[in-house]
Amino acid sequence: KNEVEQSPQNLTAQEGEFITINCSYSVGISALHWLQQHPGGGIVSLFMLSSGKKKHGRLIATINIQEKHSSLHITASHPRDSAVYICAVTDDFSGGSNYKLTFGKGTLLTVNP
Amino acid sequence: NAGVTQTPKFRVLKTGQSMTLLCAQDMNHEYMYWYRQDPGMGLRLIHYSVGEGTTAKGEVPDGYNVSRLKKQNFLLGLESAAPSQTSVYFCASSYREVWNQPQHFGDGTRLSIL
């Protein structure tokens, strides 16, 4: 089973700061997902990637398959970015089930005005 | 489009009571999933379904049953609730296998077992 580790567990930033959240995993994957969960709220998929880099607005996600590592960056952070950010992976499907995600424990981000 | 809708949003049960959580999606997704989220732990898969009439066990299936009689609905049942089942339950759906498509999540059901 894949082990997914996120760092840091908690992150506090000032509005406008550049933020990086890291995710590492132990076994080869077919895809990595970044999700966002606002306090008391539902979960929203931000990115799904299997190589390279993706950008959506102020959010950038990168992945290094060889190093088994992904980062989520937030540029010009804003208080509305305060949420839990969750990394999840799908194991390389050549080995079996494609249906299951293995989740990290999440990173709680607080952006102060 | 409502997306993924979970009912109820909150529920308090006594130990030994039974209940059913309903998940409904209007995106014509084939795959549906039930997860539980506990403090200090990542989301864990309880059961999943790859199509109408199919169900399969996930990582933590004990104490739960599921049914997928209609493509748009995925029901999670607790036959005899236990305090260890106090959690936040999330339903999700996807069009294809997760490696190819993102999962769409509901807003969660907060369940307390006394």
Side-chain angles (χ1 to χ4, degrees):
Chain A
K1 180 186 173 185
N2 223 325
E3 300 292 332
V4 179
E5 298 289 336
Q6 288 186 235
S7 63
Q9 289 186 338
N10 295 279
L11 180 57
T12 300
Q14 289 300 120
E15 184 172 356
E17 287 185 358
F18 180 85
I19 289 167
T20 297
I21 298 170
N22 297 299
C23 175
S24 61
Y25 51 92
S26 58
V27 178
I29 63 170
S30 53
L32 183 141
H33 302 250
W34 281 104
L35 309 163
Q36 180 191 57
Q37 183 178 21
H38 280 104
I43 298 169
V44 176
S45 178
L46 297 174
F47 294 103
M48 181 184 65
L49 63 167
S50 55
S51 64
K53 174 170 130 176
K54 287 192 175 181
K55 184 175 188 289
H56 185 247
R58 294 180 295 105
L59 301 178
I60 303 167
T62 64
I63 188 168
N64 186 316
I65 296 294
Q66 287 73 29
E67 295 187 3
K68 296 185 178 62
H69 181 268
S70 174
S71 293
L72 176 68
H73 305 287
I74 304 175
T75 62
S77 60
H78 190 276
R80 65 175 175 265
D81 296 325
S82 298
V84 174
Y85 291 85
I86 302 169
C87 173
V89 301
T90 310
D91 289 349
D92 188 337
F93 63 85
S94 63
S97 171
N98 307 331
Y99 312 120
K100 303 174 189 176
L101 288 172
T102 302
F103 294 82
K105 295 180 181 179
T107 295
L108 175 60
L109 171 65
T110 304
V111 182
N112 295 318
Chain B
N1 270 355
V4 178
T5 303
Q6 292 184 230
T7 54
K9 295 192 185 308
F10 304 93
R11 186 75 183 267
V12 178
L13 290 178
K14 294 181 179 178
T15 298
Q17 287 185 319
S18 64
M19 79 162 294
T20 300
L21 281 64
L22 171 64
C23 176
Q25 53 92 6
D26 61 3
M27 296 172 282
N28 201 34
H29 285 169
E30 288 293 333
Y31 304 146
M32 298 187 74
Y33 317 82
W34 275 108
Y35 297 97
R36 60 178 289 171
Q37 185 179 44
D38 300 297
M41 304 185 74
L43 285 153
R44 292 180 292 169
L45 182 65
I46 304 171
H47 285 280
Y48 63 98
S49 168
V50 301
E52 181 178 316
T54 74
T55 63
K57 294 180 180 180
E59 183 184 355
V60 288
D62 293 343
Y64 305 95
N65 57 74
V66 288
S67 63
R68 183 101 181 266
L69 299 180
K70 294 183 179 181
K71 185 177 182 179
Q72 63 268 32
N73 295 335
F74 195 28
L75 278 62
L76 178 70
L78 286 72
E79 291 185 345
S80 179
S84 61
Q85 294 177 305
T86 293
S87 188
V88 181
Y89 292 85
F90 285 95
C91 176
S93 69
S94 65
Y95 180 58
R96 294 190 187 279
E97 294 97 327
V98 292
W99 65 269
N100 196 26
Q101 293 288 328
Q103 289 190 6
H104 297 257
F105 288 80
D107 289 338
T109 295
R110 282 157 180 75
L111 183 61
S112 293
I113 315 295
L114 304 178

